[in-house]
Amino acid sequence: MDFELSEENRIFREAIREFAQREIAPLVEEAEATATYPKQLFRKMGEQGFLCPRFPIEIGGGGGDKITECIMVEEVNYVCAGVASGIVGHTGLATYPLYVHGSDELKENYLYPAARGEKIGAFGLSEPDVGSDAAAIRTRAVRDGDSYILNGTKMFITNGPICDYVVVCAYTDPSKRGAGINLFVVDKGTPGFVVSRKLEKLGNHCSETGELVFEDCRVPASHMIGGKEGGGFEQIASTLLSGRITYGARATGTAQAIYDLTVEYAKQRVQFGKPIVKHQFIRFRLAEVAMLVDIMRQYTWRVAWLFDQGKKVRKESSMAKLFATEMVQKIAGDCIQIFGGYGYMKEYPIERHFRDARLYTVTEGTSEVQRMVIAKECGF
Ligand SMILES: Cc1cc2nc3c(=O)[nH]c(=O)nc-3n(C[C@H](O)[C@H](O)[C@H](O)COP(=O)(O)OP(=O)(O)OC[C@H]3O[C@@H](n4cnc5c(N)ncnc54)[C@H](O)[C@@H]3O)c2cc1C
């Protein structure tokens, strides 16, 4: 057993950490205040192979593995979860199904430009009335000659307002629950496709989230990922499985940021004649946070490693997401308490991390859904 990062991964970690501090950190305040995504980051990250780090270099990726992707996600989250939301929606959700199942035409026109950051992708699964029970989606795709006609509404779609294309999940055969779903690539500007609303959120403010409406939207049949009717549910499942590992990394990045900020604050804040970090209760609490962050990271990397070995990690990926995203709720709550009244003020970034972290137990499968998956995989 070797618990060390590879040399490549260590070098990558230093490079993306430096990039995040230099290129992302200065943009965060304004992006969050104006709820506007700093779109230029897609190209900048793409140019350096940071955007899709586990795709091959020849197609614009970084030539790494799932661990590499987790490192990128952790480091970007450390700086700003909202920025990371946009990257994860693009890299994890909107390009992965194209990478695994896309035709040469779709790869050429969408995947490669997306890996280079020249096109921004979004992924539309959730609907106004359908979230956890993904097989219950109502969006329909009906064949008409060389096209499909899409009708339906997608809700809470990350990058929806800024995307160049969206991967839309729709039923080609609603008589087959789950099995009759397909994924379609729809260009921005296609007649019948509109971003009907940009949504306001509790946190992750700079990540732009939208409601998308498809009304008699004609899409070429060649834009169906996988090339034949049916099979989309498996494409969704494999995309979300990989995303659950990513969420372990997201939560770890936010938890590490919260820990670092809190230790720094507790060292300089003096009450009862000494820095509060010297009060036993606070020391013990921070010791526990240090322990939890380490376990979150190590478990996430372990599952990423298993994934890279081609092992079946349905249970483990849900465990990584459930554990890390639940733990960061506790960490955020405990640490904001250590900040006292200042924690509640906007002048310290802990307030932003606290709000941002709240998302993680909801999106890409709620904690309850992760428990359902784990229980099923455990055989009960
Ligand atoms: C900021 C943000 C960004 C998002 N980005 C995207 C995106 O890019 N693309 C996309 O497709 N979706 C996106 N989503 C949607 C997200 O994936 C869903 O919100 C999530 O899957 C939960 O679905 P829901 O909100 O409809 O909740 P529901 O499914 O309605 O669930 C409501 C509550 O009931 C619980 N529940 C449901 N079923 C059960 C059960 N059987 N047993 C016990 N409890 C249950 C849930 O855990 C939850 O607590 C985003 C959401 C947010 C908030």
Side-chain angles (χ1 to χ4, degrees):
M1 253 190 234
D2 184 357
F3 290 104
E4 290 291 334
L5 284 178
S6 68
E7 180 68 10
E8 290 84 0
N9 280 332
R10 271 202 299 276
I11 293 169
F12 179 84
R13 193 184 196 191
E14 275 168 34
I16 183 69
R17 185 170 289 177
E18 194 267 331
F19 176 91
Q21 290 301 334
R22 178 169 40 87
E23 300 287 346
I24 302 178
L27 307 176
V28 172
E29 197 176 326
E30 191 187 338
E32 284 285 301
T34 57
T36 307
Y37 198 85
K39 286 197 287 184
Q40 68 273 28
L41 287 175
F42 281 99
R43 268 180 195 265
K44 279 194 176 166
M45 289 184 70
E47 277 162 13
Q48 310 212 23
F50 290 152
L51 187 59
C52 293
R54 76 179 154 124
F55 294 166
I57 292 172
E58 309 79 69
I59 69 160
D65 50 18
K66 184 70 192 175
I67 296 185
T68 323
E69 189 182 75
C70 286
I71 292 169
M72 179 275 281
V73 167
E74 181 183 331
E75 295 301 328
V76 176
N77 258 272
Y78 182 87
V79 173
C80 180
V83 169
S85 285
I87 302 291
V88 165
H90 172 88
T91 300
L93 298 178
T95 61
Y96 188 63
L98 286 166
Y99 178 63
V100 182
H101 306 282
S103 62
D104 288 348
E105 179 201 329
L106 289 178
K107 285 183 174 164
E108 195 67 49
N109 293 333
Y110 298 95
L111 176 67
Y112 304 161
R116 294 192 295 264
E118 292 158 8
K119 279 190 177 177
I120 301 173
F123 182 80
L125 171 62
S126 307
E127 299 183 352
D129 297 319
V130 182
S132 302
D133 183 9
I137 57 169
R138 293 180 191 163
T139 301
R140 285 292 317 270
V142 177
R143 181 100 196 195
D144 182 41
D146 286 344
S147 312
Y148 281 87
I149 310 292
L150 266 61
N151 277 288
T153 303
K154 295 294 175 183
M155 185 52 112
F156 307 140
I157 307 307
T158 302
N159 295 340
I162 59 166
C163 71
D164 296 297
Y165 73 91
V166 55
V167 175
V168 181
C169 309
Y171 266 104
T172 45
D173 183 353
S175 71
K176 297 180 188 152
R177 186 179 145 88
I181 292 177
N182 280 94
L183 274 53
F184 294 86
V185 179
V186 183
D187 279 301
K188 174 178 144 187
T190 306
F193 164 31
V194 289
V195 179
S196 45
R197 297 195 273 158
K198 179 174 158 179
L199 302 161
E200 291 184 12
K201 309 190 293 297
L202 171 71
N204 289 265
H205 283 161
C206 72
S207 163
E208 298 194 35
T209 313
E211 180 189 61
L212 315 181
V213 174
F214 301 87
E215 219 172 75
D216 294 331
C217 177
R218 184 176 288 274
V219 177
S222 60
H223 280 207
M224 183 165 77
I225 299 177
K228 63 174 175 24
E229 290 199 1
F233 203 68
E234 286 73 35
Q235 295 170 11
I236 296 168
S238 70
T239 302
L240 293 180
L241 182 147
S242 168
R244 283 164 189 166
I245 308 171
T246 306
Y247 263 77
R250 289 202 72 178
T252 305
T254 298
Q256 183 70 56
I258 290 174
Y259 170 78
D260 289 348
L261 289 166
T262 311
V263 170
E264 191 189 323
Y265 180 81
K267 280 183 178 168
Q268 54 89 13
R269 178 72 175 174
V270 174
Q271 291 295 296
F272 297 98
K274 57 183 178 185
I276 59 171
V277 78
K278 294 294 177 196
H279 294 294
Q280 192 184 53
F281 180 84
I282 306 253
R283 291 183 73 218
F284 282 9
R285 186 144 266 185
L286 285 171
E288 202 179 295
V289 174
M291 172 188 75
L292 287 173
V293 176
D294 196 36
I295 299 170
M296 287 160 71
R297 180 178 298 114
Q298 295 306 323
Y299 189 67
T300 299
W301 283 356
R302 172 170 181 267
V303 181
W305 182 84
L306 288 169
F307 181 89
D308 284 331
Q309 306 307 306
K311 307 274 188 213
K312 184 173 168 282
V313 287
R314 204 168 135 73
K315 179 178 72 180
E316 291 80 1
S317 60
S318 282
M319 286 177 167
K321 183 178 193 279
L322 178 62
F323 180 75
T325 61
E326 290 285 335
M327 281 308 121
V328 76
Q329 307 309 315
K330 174 174 163 47
I331 290 168
D334 287 353
C335 287
I336 210 163
Q337 184 70 17
I338 293 173
F339 269 77
Y342 285 110
Y344 207 68
M345 301 297 133
K346 290 219 176 253
E347 61 203 78
Y348 284 95
I350 183 122
E351 173 267 349
R352 167 168 59 84
H353 290 298
F354 179 83
R355 286 185 285 104
D356 290 348
R358 194 63 198 85
L359 175 67
Y360 303 157
T361 62
V362 172
T363 193
E364 290 200 38
T366 64
S367 287
E368 291 70 35
V369 167
Q370 306 313 325
R371 287 183 177 92
M372 283 160 63
V373 172
I374 296 165
K376 192 169 171 211
E377 289 297 305
C378 289
F380 48 83

